[in-house]
Coordinates of all heavy atoms in Angstrom, one line a residue:
C1 N -0.3 24.0 -10.6 CA -1.2 23.7 -11.7 C -2.7 23.5 -11.3 O -3.4 22.8 -11.9 CB -0.7 22.5 -12.5 SG 0.8 22.9 -13.4
G2 N -3.0 24.0 -10.1 CA -4.4 23.8 -9.7 C -4.7 22.5 -9.0 O -3.9 22.0 -8.2
V3 N -5.7 21.8 -9.5 CA -6.1 20.5 -8.9 C -5.0 19.5 -9.1 O -4.4 19.3 -10.2 CB -7.4 20.0 -9.6 CG1 -7.8 18.7 -9.0 CG2 -8.5 21.0 -9.5
P4 N -4.5 18.9 -8.0 CA -3.4 17.9 -8.1 C -3.8 16.7 -8.9 O -5.0 16.3 -8.9 CB -3.1 17.5 -6.6 CG -4.3 17.9 -5.8 CD -5.0 19.0 -6.6
V5 N -2.8 16.1 -9.6 CA -3.0 14.9 -10.3 C -2.8 13.8 -9.2 O -1.9 13.8 -8.4 CB -1.9 14.7 -11.3 CG1 -1.9 13.3 -11.9 CG2 -2.0 15.8 -12.4
V6 N -3.7 12.8 -9.3 CA -3.7 11.7 -8.3 C -3.5 10.4 -9.0 O -4.1 10.1 -10.0 CB -5.1 11.7 -7.6 CG1 -5.2 10.5 -6.6 CG2 -5.4 13.0 -6.8
D7 N -2.5 9.7 -8.5 CA -2.2 8.3 -9.0 C -2.5 7.3 -8.0 O -2.4 7.6 -6.8 CB -0.8 8.2 -9.4 CG -0.5 8.9 -10.8 OD1 -1.4 9.0 -11.6 OD2 0.7 9.2 -11.0
T8 N -2.8 6.1 -8.4 CA -2.9 5.0 -7.5 C -1.6 4.2 -7.5 O -1.1 3.8 -8.5 CB -4.1 4.1 -7.9 OG1 -5.3 4.8 -7.8 CG2 -4.2 2.9 -6.9
L9 N -1.1 4.0 -6.3 CA 0.2 3.2 -6.1 C -0.2 1.8 -5.7 O -1.0 1.7 -4.7 CB 1.1 3.9 -5.1 CG 1.5 5.3 -5.3 CD1 2.3 5.8 -4.2 CD2 2.2 5.5 -6.6
W10 N 0.3 0.8 -6.3 CA -0.1 -0.6 -6.0 C 1.1 -1.3 -5.4 O 2.2 -1.2 -5.9 CB -0.5 -1.3 -7.2 CG -1.8 -0.8 -7.8 CD1 -2.0 0.2 -8.8 CD2 -3.1 -1.1 -7.4 NE1 -3.3 0.4 -9.0 CE2 -4.0 -0.4 -8.1 CE3 -3.6 -2.0 -6.4 CZ2 -5.4 -0.5 -8.0 CZ3 -5.0 -2.1 -6.3 CH2 -5.9 -1.3 -7.0
L11 N 0.8 -2.0 -4.3 CA 1.8 -2.9 -3.7 C 1.5 -4.2 -4.3 O 0.5 -4.8 -4.0 CB 1.7 -2.9 -2.2 CG 2.5 -4.0 -1.5 CD1 4.0 -3.8 -1.7 CD2 2.1 -4.1 0.0
I12 N 2.5 -4.7 -5.0 CA 2.3 -6.0 -5.7 C 3.4 -6.9 -5.3 O 4.6 -6.6 -5.4 CB 2.2 -5.8 -7.2 CG1 1.1 -4.9 -7.6 CG2 2.1 -7.2 -7.9 CD1 1.1 -4.5 -9.1
H13 N 3.1 -8.1 -4.9 CA 4.1 -9.1 -4.7 C 3.5 -10.5 -5.0 O 2.3 -10.7 -5.1 CB 4.6 -9.1 -3.2 CG 3.5 -9.4 -2.2 ND1 3.3 -10.7 -1.7 CD2 2.6 -8.6 -1.6 CE1 2.3 -10.6 -0.8 NE2 1.9 -9.4 -0.7
R14 N 4.4 -11.5 -5.2 CA 3.9 -12.8 -5.5 C 3.2 -13.4 -4.3 O 3.6 -13.4 -3.2 CB 5.1 -13.7 -5.9 CG 5.7 -13.3 -7.2 CD 6.8 -14.1 -7.6 NE 6.3 -15.5 -7.9 CZ 6.8 -16.3 -8.8 NH1 7.8 -15.9 -9.5 NH2 6.3 -17.5 -8.9
A15 N 2.0 -14.0 -4.6 CA 1.1 -14.5 -3.5 C 1.8 -15.7 -2.8 O 1.6 -15.8 -1.6 CB -0.2 -15.0 -4.1
E16 N 2.6 -16.5 -3.5 CA 3.2 -17.6 -2.9 C 4.5 -17.2 -2.1 O 5.1 -18.1 -1.4 CB 3.5 -18.7 -3.9 CG 4.5 -18.4 -4.9 CD 4.0 -17.7 -6.2 OE1 2.8 -17.3 -6.2 OE2 4.7 -17.6 -7.2
W17 N 4.9 -16.0 -2.2 CA 6.1 -15.6 -1.4 C 5.6 -14.6 -0.4 O 5.3 -13.4 -0.7 CB 7.1 -14.9 -2.3 CG 7.7 -15.8 -3.4 CD1 7.6 -17.1 -3.5 CD2 8.6 -15.4 -4.4 NE1 8.3 -17.6 -4.5 CE2 9.0 -16.5 -5.1 CE3 9.1 -14.1 -4.8 CZ2 9.8 -16.5 -6.2 CZ3 10.0 -14.1 -5.9 CH2 10.3 -15.3 -6.6
P18 N 5.7 -14.9 0.9 CA 5.2 -14.0 1.9 C 6.2 -12.8 2.0 O 7.4 -12.9 1.7 CB 5.2 -14.8 3.2 CG 6.2 -15.9 2.9 CD 6.1 -16.2 1.4
L19 N 5.7 -11.7 2.4 CA 6.5 -10.5 2.6 C 7.5 -10.7 3.7 O 7.1 -11.4 4.7 CB 5.7 -9.3 2.9 CG 4.8 -8.7 1.8 CD1 4.0 -7.5 2.4 CD2 5.7 -8.1 0.7
S20 N 8.7 -10.2 3.6 CA 9.6 -10.3 4.8 C 9.1 -9.5 5.9 O 8.2 -8.6 5.7 CB 11.0 -9.7 4.3 OG 10.9 -8.3 4.1
A21 N 9.6 -9.7 7.1 CA 9.2 -8.9 8.3 C 9.4 -7.4 8.1 O 8.6 -6.6 8.4 CB 9.9 -9.4 9.5
R22 N 10.5 -7.1 7.4 CA 10.8 -5.7 7.2 C 9.8 -5.0 6.2 O 9.3 -4.0 6.5 CB 12.2 -5.5 6.6 CG 12.6 -4.1 6.3 CD 14.0 -4.0 5.7 NE 15.0 -4.6 6.6 CZ 16.2 -4.8 6.3 NH1 16.7 -4.6 5.1 NH2 17.1 -5.3 7.2
A23 N 9.5 -5.8 5.1 CA 8.5 -5.3 4.2 C 7.1 -5.2 4.8 O 6.4 -4.2 4.5 CB 8.5 -6.1 2.9
A24 N 6.7 -6.2 5.6 CA 5.4 -6.1 6.2 C 5.3 -4.9 7.2 O 4.3 -4.3 7.3 CB 5.2 -7.4 7.0
F25 N 6.5 -4.6 7.9 CA 6.5 -3.5 8.8 C 6.3 -2.2 8.0 O 5.5 -1.3 8.4 CB 7.8 -3.4 9.5 CG 7.9 -2.2 10.4 CD1 7.3 -2.1 11.6 CD2 8.7 -1.1 9.9 CE1 7.5 -0.9 12.4 CE2 8.8 0.1 10.6 CZ 8.2 0.2 11.9
V26 N 7.0 -2.0 6.9 CA 6.9 -0.8 6.0 C 5.4 -0.7 5.5 O 4.8 0.4 5.5 CB 7.9 -0.8 4.9 CG1 7.6 0.3 3.9 CG2 9.3 -0.7 5.5
V27 N 4.9 -1.8 5.0 CA 3.5 -1.8 4.5 C 2.5 -1.3 5.6 O 1.6 -0.5 5.3 CB 3.1 -3.1 3.9 CG1 1.6 -3.2 3.5 CG2 3.9 -3.4 2.6
G28 N 2.7 -1.9 6.8 CA 1.8 -1.5 7.9 C 1.9 0.0 8.2 O 0.9 0.6 8.5
H29 N 3.2 0.4 8.2 CA 3.4 1.9 8.5 C 2.8 2.8 7.5 O 2.1 3.7 7.8 CB 4.9 2.1 8.6 CG 5.3 3.6 8.8 ND1 5.1 4.2 10.0 CD2 5.7 4.5 8.0 CE1 5.5 5.5 9.9 NE2 5.9 5.7 8.7
L30 N 3.0 2.4 6.2 CA 2.4 3.2 5.1 C 0.8 3.2 5.2 O 0.2 4.2 5.0 CB 2.8 2.7 3.7 CG 4.3 2.9 3.4 CD1 4.6 2.2 2.1 CD2 4.5 4.4 3.2
R31 N 0.3 2.0 5.4 CA -1.2 1.9 5.5 C -1.7 2.8 6.7 O -2.7 3.5 6.5 CB -1.6 0.4 5.8 CG -3.1 0.3 5.7 CD -3.5 -1.2 5.8 NE -2.9 -2.0 4.8 CZ -3.4 -2.0 3.5 NH1 -4.4 -1.3 3.2 NH2 -2.9 -2.8 2.6
K32 N -1.1 2.8 7.8 CA -1.5 3.6 8.9 C -1.4 5.1 8.6 O -2.4 5.9 8.8 CB -0.7 3.4 10.2 CG -1.0 2.1 10.9 CD -0.3 2.1 12.2 CE 0.4 0.7 12.3 NZ 1.3 0.5 13.4
R33 N -0.3 5.5 8.0 CA -0.2 6.9 7.6 C -1.2 7.4 6.6 O -1.8 8.4 6.6 CB 1.2 7.2 7.0 CG 2.2 7.2 8.1 CD 3.3 8.2 8.1 NE 3.0 9.5 7.5 CZ 3.9 10.4 7.3 NH1 5.1 10.1 7.6 NH2 3.6 11.5 6.8
M34 N -1.4 6.5 5.6 CA -2.4 6.8 4.5 C -3.8 6.8 5.0 O -4.6 7.6 4.6 CB -2.1 6.0 3.3 CG -0.7 6.2 2.7 SD -0.4 5.3 1.2 CE -1.0 6.5 0.1
L35 N -4.1 5.9 5.9 CA -5.4 5.8 6.5 C -5.7 7.1 7.3 O -6.8 7.7 7.3 CB -5.6 4.6 7.4 CG -6.0 3.3 6.8 CD1 -5.9 2.2 7.8 CD2 -7.4 3.4 6.3
S36 N -4.7 7.6 8.1 CA -4.9 8.8 8.9 C -5.1 10.0 8.0 O -5.6 11.0 8.4 CB -3.7 9.0 9.8 OG -2.5 9.4 9.0
H37 N -4.6 9.9 6.7 CA -4.8 11.0 5.8 C -6.0 10.8 4.8 O -6.2 11.5 3.9 CB -3.6 11.3 4.9 CG -2.5 11.9 5.7 ND1 -2.2 11.6 7.0 CD2 -1.5 12.7 5.3 CE1 -1.2 12.3 7.4 NE2 -0.7 13.0 6.4
G38 N -6.7 9.7 5.0 CA -7.9 9.3 4.2 C -7.5 9.0 2.7 O -8.2 9.3 1.8
M39 N -6.3 8.3 2.6 CA -5.8 8.1 1.2 C -5.7 6.7 0.8 O -5.1 6.3 -0.2 CB -4.3 8.7 1.2 CG -4.3 10.2 1.5 SD -2.6 10.8 1.7 CE -1.9 10.6 0.1
V40 N -6.3 5.8 1.5 CA -6.3 4.3 1.2 C -7.6 3.9 0.5 O -8.6 4.1 1.0 CB -6.0 3.5 2.4 CG1 -6.0 2.0 2.0 CG2 -4.6 3.8 3.0
S41 N -7.4 3.3 -0.7 CA -8.6 2.8 -1.4 C -8.9 1.4 -0.8 O -8.1 0.6 -0.5 CB -8.3 2.7 -2.9 OG -9.3 2.0 -3.5
R42 N -10.2 1.1 -0.7 CA -10.6 -0.2 -0.2 C -11.2 -1.1 -1.2 O -12.0 -1.9 -1.0 CB -11.7 0.1 0.9 CG -11.3 0.8 2.1 CD -10.7 -0.2 3.1 NE -10.4 0.5 4.3 CZ -9.4 0.1 5.1 NH1 -8.7 -1.0 4.8 NH2 -9.2 0.7 6.2
R43 N -10.7 -0.9 -2.5 CA -11.2 -1.8 -3.6 C -10.7 -3.2 -3.5 O -9.5 -3.4 -3.4 CB -10.8 -1.2 -4.9 CG -11.5 0.1 -5.2 CD -11.0 0.7 -6.5 NE -9.7 1.2 -6.3 CZ -9.1 2.0 -7.1 NH1 -9.5 2.2 -8.3 NH2 -7.9 2.5 -6.8
G44 N -11.6 -4.1 -3.5 CA -11.2 -5.6 -3.6 C -10.2 -6.0 -2.5 O -10.2 -5.4 -1.4
R45 N -9.4 -7.0 -2.9 CA -8.4 -7.5 -1.9 C -7.1 -6.7 -2.1 O -6.1 -7.0 -1.3 CB -8.2 -8.9 -2.2 CG -9.3 -9.8 -1.9 CD -9.0 -11.3 -2.2 NE -7.7 -11.6 -1.9 CZ -6.9 -12.4 -2.7 NH1 -7.4 -13.0 -3.7 NH2 -5.7 -12.7 -2.3
G46 N -6.9 -5.9 -3.1 CA -5.7 -5.3 -3.4 C -5.2 -4.3 -2.3 O -5.9 -3.9 -1.4
N47 N -4.0 -3.9 -2.5 CA -3.4 -2.9 -1.6 C -3.2 -1.6 -2.4 O -2.1 -1.0 -2.5 CB -2.0 -3.3 -1.1 CG -2.1 -4.5 -0.2 OD1 -2.9 -4.5 0.7 ND2 -1.3 -5.5 -0.4

């Protein structure tokens, strides 16, 4: 269909509950992969 549709995916979790080590690892891995592809938004404090 030509130009791809782009969506923003948000990682949302309760601020008072820290991410588990497993979840933090996955988030770090995703962030590195998306940064290498120029796909991470730097808006505000969000993910």
Side-chain angles (χ1 to χ4, degrees):
C1 293
V3 179
V5 172
V6 176
D7 280 336
T8 299
L9 305 176
W10 292 95
L11 169 65
I12 300 171
H13 64 92
R14 292 183 63 150
E16 65 271 15
W17 294 353
L19 288 175
S20 66
R22 180 181 297 170
F25 174 81
V26 169
V27 169
H29 176 75
L30 288 172
R31 186 175 300 284
K32 281 186 230 173
R33 287 221 32 188
M34 296 184 89
L35 274 170
S36 71
H37 289 35
M39 299 168 72
V40 175
S41 172
R42 294 275 187 207
R43 291 178 284 190
R45 295 178 33 217
N47 292 313

